[in-house]
Amino acid sequence: MQKIKKNAFLSQFMNDVDVAIVGGGPSGVVAAITIAKAGYKVAILDKKQRNKIGNKSCGDALDKVAPEIMKKELGIEFPHGKELPTPLDHLTFASLSLKNKLTAHTPAFIVHRLHYGQRLLKEAEQAGAEIIANAKVRDIIVENNQIVGLKYYNENGINEIRAKIVIDASGFVGVVRKMIPDQMKNGIVYEVPPEHTVATYREIIRLEKPHDFQKEIVLLYHEKIPIPGYAWIFTDGEYQLNIGVTWPKHIPYPQNKSLKDIYHEILDPMIDPASYTVKHKGGGQIPIRPPFDSLVFNGAMLVGEAGCLVDPTTAEGHGPSLLSGYKAGKAAIKALEIGDFTVNGLWSYNKDIMTYPGSTHAMSYQALQYLKSVGPKGMAFFLKRKIVSEEDLIEIFRTREFEFTLARKIRKVLQAFPRFDYMLKLKKTIQKVEYADQLYKSYPETPDGLQKWMDIRKKTLTDDY
Ligand SMILES: Cc1cc2nc3c(=O)[nH]c(=O)nc-3n(C[C@H](O)[C@H](O)[C@H](O)COP(=O)(O)OP(=O)(O)OC[C@H]3O[C@@H](n4cnc5c(N)ncnc54)[C@H](O)[C@@H]3O)c2cc1C
């Protein structure tokens, strides 16, 4: 049997730390900055080496909304210098081919995940957070129905760290989430089945000449990829592109192909492989569903991908992770001030996150069901007829609100002739989208209202998550 040791530094403290965070990705590091700045004792445990924390195979696009909030609330500067390989100012949706497209001005960043992540890690450390690298969390410590710490593995064997609050920021794997005993889950299923997962493969390629996608990111809904999957072409500087594909995990790849085969089949006709060298290959899985119905437990919270905080349509998770780290940090501070680390004490995080970005993700999930039903061909029809306009896209991505006025409705119905079936389906979807928005914004103020809220959600929206 392995001996359990206490970390030499941490064992100086009575309760080790106020907050132990599993994972130093965007969600974990921002939670740490928020809590450490308030003067509480916080540690980030990450299985990676210190100088690799923050690195991730990613499309590297980061919407400006979350960095703007981080800057205002925490004084965190926007990505800059080597963290920002290229400016970005427009987003294109294309369907079937790059010819059927809609481009909108949406300010965002392409970030170098390692450099940006390392800077945030340093800011957490400067604020007083302890970084425990090479520490693989294996288990949680539960006493009297309350999570009170973690067991982690490093070169010394198995160690323990005790904390008043544990934050699961471990990404898709949700290492803490998976360990939570059933009696602490309020009947909620905390699993991410293949139907709610996309697999991804991407390469960073260097071309001989400046590419055609300067300051642009393109999401392409392709005939050969079932929605919610898509192909992407993102700028990564004048000569570099970050290109990839996502594929719904519950749908087998056709004819025993690999995702890499599909990637080449779709992207090679658009960007000739003879014209570039591959700088990096990678991939991963992304959860695509609205957040779990509750993200707090006695003694614990779920942030970032561990809580499924990813936009289900675009699979954008970096910004929501930063935001959820900040919001969980604020709730942890509140709980520490009043000395209540139970579900009650941490509940404000649920309310805050469901209002935004939870409501946006719930709306996006409803829209995604529509996209699935019309498929890439339906989307191409919409784009060709300009039923979705640049103005609509800007409204959705910049303000995160969308007002469907009567004039807009009439114009769109006329544009849809003769495919009124698309419009009828769209009408129903819009009702659901609007309802999802209201429902998540009226998330209960206290745990007592949760069961009723979940019953309404399952009945009115969908019960498949
Ligand atoms: C190929 C790909 C492309 C993507 N493209 C985009 C994009 O362009 N834009 C966008 O916004 N989002 C994108 N995403 C999603 C985005 O990368 C994630 O949503 C975001 O990084 C999630 O942040 P996080 O903090 O929740 O988790 P992560 O960034 O995954 O960080 C989790 C951390 O936890 C650590 N950890 C895990 N298990 C343990 C353990 N047992 N013990 C200790 N530490 C542990 C890991 O080492 C890691 O450092 C993409 C994802 C993939 C896979």
Side-chain angles (χ1 to χ4, degrees):
M1 228 174 69
Q2 275 172 311
K3 240 173 110 186
I4 292 185
K5 295 173 196 165
K6 287 233 170 188
N7 178 292
F9 169 79
L10 292 163
S11 60
Q12 303 166 45
F13 303 108
M14 276 293 290
N15 201 348
D16 287 354
V17 288
D18 293 311
V19 184
I21 301 171
V22 185
S27 59
V29 82
V30 171
I33 293 172
T34 311
I35 298 163
K37 280 195 168 183
Y40 291 100
K41 205 173 288 171
V42 52
I44 294 176
L45 294 90
D46 202 296
K47 64 182 181 183
K48 289 182 185 158
Q49 282 175 32
R50 171 74 169 76
N51 61 1
K52 299 272 167 62
I53 296 175
N55 202 16
K56 176 151 178 152
S57 284
C58 185
D60 298 339
L62 173 60
D63 184 275
K64 213 172 173 182
V65 174
E68 272 168 349
I69 296 172
M70 302 297 100
K71 189 169 180 180
K72 182 165 168 263
E73 303 294 339
L74 297 167
I76 298 175
E77 285 302 325
F78 289 157
H80 56 271
K82 62 182 182 178
E83 301 160 11
L84 184 67
T86 187
L88 178 60
D89 65 19
H90 47 287
L91 161 72
T92 295
F93 276 101
S95 201
L96 297 183
S97 82
L98 291 175
K99 282 185 196 140
N100 303 316
K101 65 176 185 176
L102 174 64
T103 298
H105 174 72
T106 51
F109 303 108
I110 286 291
V111 290
H112 190 288
R113 292 288 306 253
L114 179 62
H115 294 322
Y116 184 51
Q118 284 280 309
R119 194 240 300 173
L120 296 190
L121 199 67
K122 211 173 273 170
E123 288 195 25
E125 205 163 34
Q126 281 161 357
E130 178 72 6
I131 315 297
I132 308 175
N134 302 311
K136 184 164 183 163
V137 171
R138 288 272 180 87
D139 208 350
I140 53 175
I141 306 169
V142 183
E143 288 171 2
N144 303 321
N145 229 22
Q146 178 84 19
I147 296 163
V148 294
L150 298 163
K151 290 182 185 175
Y152 66 96
Y153 183 82
N154 67 6
E155 74 277 8
N156 300 321
I158 305 267
N159 304 263
E160 274 189 17
I161 178 169
R162 294 182 78 85
K164 293 170 186 149
I165 302 165
V166 164
I167 296 183
D168 188 352
S170 64
F172 181 79
V173 285
V175 63
V176 172
R177 188 187 79 216
K178 279 185 182 157
M179 306 289 176
I180 292 173
D182 283 347
Q183 73 271 15
M184 292 177 73
K185 290 181 182 164
N186 247 322
I188 298 170
V189 179
Y190 286 95
E191 276 161 25
V192 188
E195 294 76 26
H196 288 140
T197 306
V198 286
T200 62
Y201 176 76
R202 75 102 171 88
E203 292 182 357
I204 295 179
I205 57 170
R206 185 160 186 89
L207 295 104
E208 287 147 14
K209 294 183 193 153
H211 56 73
D212 299 333
F213 303 90
Q214 303 298 328
K215 299 187 182 178
E216 183 178 23
I217 60 175
V218 180
L219 299 189
L220 170 67
Y221 291 90
H222 197 276
E223 237 177 336
K224 289 186 178 163
I225 308 179
I227 292 176
Y230 59 77
W232 80 79
I233 302 173
F234 290 1
T235 182
D236 189 28
E238 203 181 347
Y239 289 86
Q240 271 190 191
L241 288 170
N242 179 323
I243 59 177
V245 285
T246 76
W247 186 276
K249 211 182 151 192
H250 65 293
I251 300 178
Y253 303 136
Q255 295 133 23
N256 291 326
K257 286 177 192 159
S258 68
L259 193 51
K260 194 174 169 183
D261 296 334
I262 295 168
Y263 162 96
H264 281 296
E265 202 174 313
I266 287 165
L267 289 161
D268 287 1
M270 288 178 250
I271 306 160
D272 179 5
S275 69
Y276 63 75
T277 50
V278 178
K279 307 291 287 181
H280 191 273
K281 298 176 185 183
Q285 303 190 71
I286 312 176
I288 44 151
R289 46 155 287 161
F292 294 112
D293 286 343
S294 168
L295 299 170
V296 305
F297 308 87
N298 289 336
M301 287 187 270
L302 309 178
V303 295
E305 280 194 2
C308 288
L309 285 152
V310 175
D311 185 305
T313 306
T314 60
E316 171 201 359
H318 193 172
S321 291
L322 295 168
L323 270 182
S324 66
Y326 167 61
K327 292 187 174 210
K330 277 200 304 177
I333 294 166
K334 223 186 232 180
L336 288 161
E337 279 166 358
I338 58 171
D340 182 353
F341 317 117
T342 65
V343 165
N344 279 310
L346 299 170
W347 193 260
S348 62
Y349 171 55
N350 267 347
K351 177 74 189 161
D352 201 6
I353 204 78
M354 296 302 175
T355 303
Y356 182 77
S359 61
T360 312
H361 293 177
M363 289 193 283
S364 170
Y365 186 80
Q366 294 303 324
L368 183 61
Q369 307 317 309
Y370 179 73
L371 297 186
K372 276 191 206 168
S373 74
V374 299
K377 279 192 183 142
M379 282 190 73
F381 175 83
F382 270 62
L383 295 174
K384 263 191 201 151
R385 295 290 181 94
K386 302 206 182 322
I387 293 166
V388 183
S389 65
E390 179 177 352
E391 183 196 356
D392 299 337
L393 265 195
I394 290 174
E395 209 172 299
I396 294 166
F397 283 92
R398 295 291 300 281
T399 66
R400 304 278 164 180
E401 299 288 344
F402 186 76
E403 202 192 337
F404 214 62
T405 59
L406 185 62
R408 219 177 207 171
K409 280 180 197 163
I410 293 169
R411 199 180 70 224
K412 287 178 193 306
V413 168
L414 293 176
Q415 282 164 324
F417 177 81
R419 293 304 308 256
F420 292 128
D421 54 328
Y422 284 163
M423 293 313 284
L424 285 174
K425 273 192 203 164
L426 184 60
K427 187 179 165 209
K428 283 188 192 144
T429 302
I430 286 167
Q431 282 164 351
K432 279 196 158 185
V433 166
E434 286 172 347
Y435 189 72
D437 186 32
Q438 287 162 19
L439 186 70
Y440 277 73
K441 284 182 178 157
S442 57
Y443 189 84
E445 301 279 346
T446 61
D448 310 345
L450 179 62
Q451 191 55 53
K452 193 173 164 206
W453 183 88
M454 289 196 302
D455 290 345
I456 296 173
R457 178 188 71 67
K458 285 177 189 167
K459 211 164 130 190
T460 50
L461 290 178
T462 167
D463 57 1
D464 73 343
Y465 66 85

